[in-house]
Amino acid sequence: MDLDLGYYDPDGYISRNQARITMNRRRYHLTDLDSANGTYVNGQRLAPHAPRPLRDDDRIRLGQVVLRFDIR
């Protein structure tokens, strides 16, 4: 599934291939795909291609857009 954030990012800071969220063994991981503007979780920039586990209420920043990760 793809998530288009264009509506929230009219200046185009987020790349179509910025980051990926995957699930493995009921755990979610966020991976930066070597984006120019970086991908951040709770203020820490992710190293490219190094999956980082996500926890409920983590703050994900892609360019100028901040998302809250919510597990239900």
Side-chain angles (χ1 to χ4, degrees):
M1 170 195 278
D2 291 333
L3 176 62
D4 182 358
L5 297 172
Y7 176 81
Y8 303 101
D9 183 40
D11 295 325
Y13 289 103
I14 302 172
S15 165
R16 287 183 156 265
N17 296 309
Q18 171 114 12
R20 178 176 293 132
I21 295 176
T22 56
M23 186 177 119
N24 185 6
R25 297 183 185 169
R26 298 185 184 177
R27 295 285 321 250
Y28 291 91
H29 294 82
L30 178 66
T31 305
D32 177 77
L33 301 177
D34 204 14
S35 63
N37 293 316
T39 301
Y40 296 79
V41 175
N42 301 326
Q44 287 189 317
R45 186 172 182 155
L46 302 185
H49 306 290
R52 183 205 188 275
L54 289 172
R55 291 181 283 159
D56 193 42
D57 207 37
D58 276 347
R59 301 287 192 244
I60 300 169
R61 183 164 62 89
L62 308 165
Q64 303 292 325
V65 177
V66 178
L67 308 167
R68 183 176 63 109
F69 186 71
D70 185 25
I71 301 173
R72 293 183 183 212

